[in-house]
Structure formats: structure tokens, C-alpha cells
Amino acid sequence: MKALKYLNSFLLKYWKKLLIGLVITISARVFSLFMPSYINESIQVIEQYFRNEISQAEAKQMLLLDIGIIVGTTLIAAILTFLMRQYIINVSRYIEYDLKNTIYDHYQILSSSFYKKNRVGDLMNRISEDVSQVRMYAGPAIMYGLQTLTLFVILIPLMFLKAPKLALYTVLPFPLLSFLIYRISRLIHVRSTAVQTYLSTLSTFTQERFSGIAIVKAYYLEQKIDQDMQALAEEGKQTAMDLAKINAWFFPLMLLLIGASNIIVMYVGGRMYLDGSIDSVGLIAEFILYVNMLTWPVTVVGWLTSIIQRAEASQERINDFLQIQPEINDDLADTQPPIQGDIEFKNVSYKYPDTGIQALKNVNLKIRSGETVALMGKTGGGKSTVIDLITRLIEPQEGTVLVDGVSISNYFLTELRTSMGVVPQDSFLFSDTIENNIRFGKLNATEKEIKTAAQLADVHQNILDFPKGYQTLLGERGISLSGGQKQRVSIARAMIKEPQIFLFDDCLSAVDTETEEVILGNIKNQSKEKTTLIVSHRMATVKHADRILVLEEGEIVQEGTHNELIATPGFYQDLYKEQLNG
């Protein structure tokens, strides 16, 4: 139950509704206890009639009164039970809503390194399947737990007040039941954790295969994927069966023990009636009804145990993520003047912790506000790392990155990233309309601004060619568009933002040269007095930059204008000759 303590703050938030639910639960149980007592009384009336102690008219009147009380109290108990569900089950839905928002908000503040270490399918499973298991604890488990506890607290003392000896024999199987529940619940917890872990693995497997369905089909891997899925399904079946085998013990054991209680009531009660210890057979009938009223609460103990163990296993998995703190935060941030666009690297080094690759080595560079600088170099030279450092998606292990002479760690992340328009190497688009994908850059953008941005990215006419134009709904990751169209929509998304700093990471690799010239011209006009950093492998993309930097194995090995570098032996001159001849 330790992991479930996290939910206490949510339960306290809705304590008024839970309190009302508790009062209604107690009231419903009290009204449900009228029926056995009045059935006992009705049987006594019949006995009195057959012993000629009362007349037929008196017996009829008394029986009608008893029946009226039984029907009335049963109806009241039913109405109160309905209200109880409305209060307590609704609270579980509120907690589910709050918990999902809490997890999602936490996901958003975690650093990018977190997402490199964890799979999307697992993250999705924790915010869906695991939260659903926790909701069962916050709703049905609490509701039925309160019902069971209330019934035991009221009914057991009542039974001892009416017939202590008979009550003692009736509850004899209950300690054995509690012991069995304790032993089995420990096994359920272990196997529930295994089931939840398997579901995360399954979610990850299916999500990755569906996302990469084009590769699967292109390489004719359907049979291999099918075999992998069968193996995974077999593992899931075995894991689920291990849990089901333990759960299967609960109901038979409880029904056996409840049946034993009924036999004990009839045997002991019958002996007591024969020797005169009890006055009426009605008391035996009343106790049999009590035992049967206890059947569901006692039976539900096993189900509740299973729910609680599943919920604890799921909450443990949720807590594992919620306890992770973002590596990049606003701890050192303070209010700063509006960003102008000066960027400086001072002795910056960065090594990727998961691979050990040294991306940057003691890099020093300065980009003035309003300047256009291009980065070139071989694949893996550290170009994208520079952009990740500027946007503070990662932190340098050595050195400092400054914006306007201030360390970027002294800016609030919102302020820093709002001032930047980034077009990443992977032109990610959401499963939404083209219009909304562009609007992500500026949420309050007008239709005119969206079309202007699309024109600047030279994608406006392509969009109009679609039957639904800007309202065209894209597939997952923008799969409906070509590579070049995706890149241009991503550029439009950055252009509409009108930031102080533009960061373009090899974002024109999928467009033709003519289109590239148009877009670069528009970017140049749009980015006047704004800082622009362009990463590319193509000479045509970078030749108009104010300065060009060449990165090789994490170090700046060349710097200058296009004309200066083509006249200097080195990587840039070699690339120029290669592309010229090509």
C-alpha cells in the first residue's frame, strides 16, 4: 500500500464527496439489515398463528406490516446504493482525470534524454492502462471496501447480540479466510506487476511496428513481425495465465467457506432450537440471511485484494516516472531583458552519455545579432548538437552557452524557446490539419498569417492543390505529404512565429534546387535583423551566409565566407569541387 499513498492528496481534494458517500453507504447498509429481522418476525407470527396464540386476522395484519417494512426498507437501500455509486465512482473518475493530467504535465517538463531512454509504448501504457488500474482502487475498491467494512461493523455485533453461540460458530471460517487472502494477495502483487510490464512491452512493440509499417512492407518483413508477435502473445498468455491461476482460487475458496457457514448455522441452530436455547426457527432463517448477506462482502474481499494489488503495481510504475526530475530546469533562471539574438559558445564540450560519442570539443564561436551563419561538416560532426545546446535541449558538460552575453541557464525555458524558431532535421508533423500544423508556431495566428507563412516556405500552392486545402487532415507524422512538403510546412511553422533567432537544421535536403533558392531568398528577407543559423550539407544552401563554419569531429576547423573558403584547401573546397563536378 506504500505506493498508493501518493493518491492521498487526490482523495483529500474530494473529501466532501467521499464523506457524503460514506454516510450514504452506512445508511444503505443499515436499511438493508431490516429485511432479515422482519423475516424472522414474520416466521414467528406464523408460528404463533399455528399455536393458536393469535387470530388469522391479527396474523394477516402483522404479516402485511412486516412485508411493507421489508419492501420499503429494501427500496430505500436500493436508492441509497445508487446515490453511493454516484458519489464514490464519480470521485474515481475525477482522480483518473487529475492523475492523467499530472503524468502528462510531468512528461512535458522532462528532458529529451528521458525520451531517449524510454519507449513511447511504455509511456502510453503508464498514462492509460496503469491509470485505469489505479482508478479501480480509487473507485470500486473504496466503494465496496466501505460496504464490506460497514456491513461487518454493524452485522457481526448484531449477530452476537441476538445469539452469541450461534454467531460464534457462524464466523468461525472467517479467520481462515483472512489468512488465505493474505497469502494469495502477495502472489497476486508479483504477478500483477509482471502483467503490467508485459502490457508496456506489447504497446511499445505494436506502436513501433505500425509507425514503421512502410519499412516492414518495403523489406517484406510481415512474416518476421508475425512470428515476433506470436512469441510476444505467447509470453503474454503465460503471464496472464499465471495471474489467472492465482485469482481462480479466490471465489471457490470463499464460496466453500460461506457454504460451510450456512451448514454450521443450520446444524448448530437446529440443535439449539431442539434443546430450547432459541425460541423460533425464524432466528435460524435470519442468520442464514445474514450469512448470505456476508457472502458478497466476504467474496469481494478477494476481488478487492486483487484490485488493490494491481493498483499498487501500476502506481509503483507511475511513481517511478513521477520521481524523475528534469535535468534541465529553471532553477537558476531570473528575469532578463528581451532577447536580441547574440549567441556565444565559450569552451563548450559535449559528450553523449548513452553512446560516449564526443560531439563537441572545446568549441568557441560567436554569432552576432542579425547575422546569418552556416554550419557544415561531415555526418556526426556535431552540427545538430550545436542547435540542441542553443535551444537548451541538452546541457554542455564543459563551457558555457550565452545568449546576449547571459548564460542560457539564467533564462526561463519559456522565454528562451519562445524567442527561437526551430526547424529540426526530422520534420515532424502532427496528425491534424495543415493549417493547425502551421499554427503550432503561433497559436493565435490568423488565416492570413498562416497563408503568408506558407507562401514564404513556398508550399502555399501545393496546399491549395489538395481537395481540402489547408483543412487537409494529415496522417501520423505527416505521412500524407512528401518529404519536401513536410520540410516546407515545418519551415512555415517556424516563419509564422517571427522569432528573434532562426535555427534551420538541414531542413531543405528534400527539396529541389529551384525551390530551395526561392525559400532561401524568402528566409533572407524575413530574417533581416534576426539571427539565423543554418545547418546543411549543400553548398547552394550556405553560400549566401555571412559566415560559414566547418565542424569536423566536434571542432571548428574552418571559418570564413563562401569565397574565402573555396579558395582555401580543406573540407569546404573539396565539397565545392565535388558538388560542382556532380
Side-chain angles (χ1 to χ4, degrees), residues 59-348:
K60 185 176 181 180
Q61 184 180 1
M62 294 171 70
L63 286 172
L64 287 173
L65 178 62
D66 289 344
I67 291 170
I69 292 173
I70 290 171
V71 172
T73 54
T74 302
L75 284 173
I76 293 171
I79 293 168
L80 290 173
T81 301
F82 169 76
L83 294 174
M84 172 190 67
R85 293 184 64 86
Q86 289 299 303
Y87 276 95
I88 297 178
I89 298 299
N90 283 359
V91 166
S92 73
R93 292 296 182 183
Y94 298 145
I95 291 174
E96 179 184 30
Y97 171 81
D98 290 341
L99 187 57
K100 283 185 176 181
N101 283 333
T102 299
I103 296 170
Y104 187 75
D105 289 344
H106 192 69
Y107 279 169
Q108 290 199 99
I109 66 170
L110 291 173
S111 307
S112 57
S113 58
F114 168 83
Y115 293 96
K116 293 177 181 177
K117 298 173 186 174
N118 294 281
R119 295 183 173 185
V120 173
D122 187 30
L123 302 184
M124 291 170 61
N125 194 65
R126 296 193 193 216
I127 203 172
S128 56
E129 180 64 26
D130 282 331
V131 172
S132 294
Q133 294 294 339
V134 172
R135 186 197 68 79
M136 291 294 289
Y137 163 76
I142 289 178
M143 184 182 72
Y144 289 118
L146 285 174
Q147 277 187 311
T148 301
L149 182 62
T150 303
L151 197 60
F152 269 92
V153 169
I154 296 174
L155 188 53
I156 300 298
L158 180 63
M159 290 168 68
F160 274 93
L161 281 172
K162 293 200 171 191
K165 182 180 177 181
L166 186 56
L168 180 63
Y169 279 104
T170 302
V171 299
L172 271 179
F174 293 164
L176 175 61
L177 181 61
S178 299
F179 172 75
L180 291 173
I181 288 170
Y182 170 75
R183 293 299 300 269
I184 294 174
S185 65
R186 293 172 67 90
L187 291 172
I188 286 177
H189 175 70
V190 174
R191 298 188 184 186
S192 293
T193 302
V195 168
Q196 294 305 112
T197 302
Y198 164 76
L199 289 173
S200 289
T201 304
L202 179 63
S203 295
T204 298
F205 179 89
T206 53
Q207 188 270 333
E208 287 183 347
R209 271 50 179 191
F210 289 145
S211 295
I213 192 66
I215 299 298
V216 171
K217 289 183 176 295
Y219 285 83
Y220 195 60
L221 294 172
E222 289 92 340
Q223 188 174 357
K224 171 68 168 59
I225 300 301
D226 185 55
Q227 291 171 353
D228 292 345
M229 185 64 203
Q230 286 185 24
L232 192 60
E234 182 63 33
E235 178 190 342
K237 183 184 77 172
Q238 190 58 50
T239 305
M241 287 300 295
D242 289 343
L243 178 60
K245 286 174 184 177
I246 296 298
N247 280 329
W249 281 95
F250 270 114
F251 288 98
L253 278 173
M254 284 174 217
L255 291 174
L256 175 65
L257 291 169
I258 294 299
S261 293
N262 274 323
I263 293 171
I264 290 170
V265 168
M266 288 186 286
Y267 176 75
V268 175
R271 291 290 299 269
M272 291 175 70
Y273 178 72
L274 291 174
D275 65 21
S277 299
I278 57 177
D279 298 329
S280 172
V281 176
L283 186 62
I284 299 174
E286 182 178 353
F287 265 68
I288 289 175
L289 287 172
Y290 285 152
V291 169
N292 283 280
M293 288 179 73
L294 288 171
T295 300
W296 168 246
V298 173
T299 305
V300 89
V301 168
W303 182 61
L304 290 176
T305 303
S306 177
I307 286 177
I308 292 169
Q309 294 299 331
R310 281 173 174 265
E312 186 172 16
S314 292
Q315 190 63 50
E316 280 180 3
R317 285 161 44 81
I318 292 170
N319 290 349
D320 287 342
F321 277 177
L322 292 178
Q323 289 166 4
I324 298 173
Q325 296 301 313
E327 298 171 5
I328 298 171
N329 51 52
D330 288 331
D331 288 352
L332 302 176
D334 198 4
T335 304
Q336 303 292 342
I339 290 175
Q340 300 303 310
D342 283 343
I343 300 172
E344 185 176 1
F345 278 49
K346 284 187 175 181
N347 304 314
V348 172

Side-chain angles (χ1 to χ4, degrees), residues 434-435 438-439 446-464 470 485 487-497 515 518-519 522 526:
I434 296 175
E435 179 179 277
I438 297 174
R439 187 176 273 120
T446 64
E447 187 176 332
K448 182 180 179 181
E449 288 175 317
I450 291 170
K451 290 181 178 179
T452 300
Q455 288 168 345
L456 291 172
D458 200 31
V459 73
H460 173 68
Q461 190 57 50
N462 289 128
I463 296 172
L464 293 182
Y470 281 85
Q485 288 170 337
Q487 286 187 335
R488 284 178 284 161
V489 170
S490 296
I491 292 171
R493 184 168 58 196
M495 301 291 276
I496 199 172
K497 192 175 182 181
T515 304
V518 173
I519 295 172
N522 292 336
Q526 188 74 3

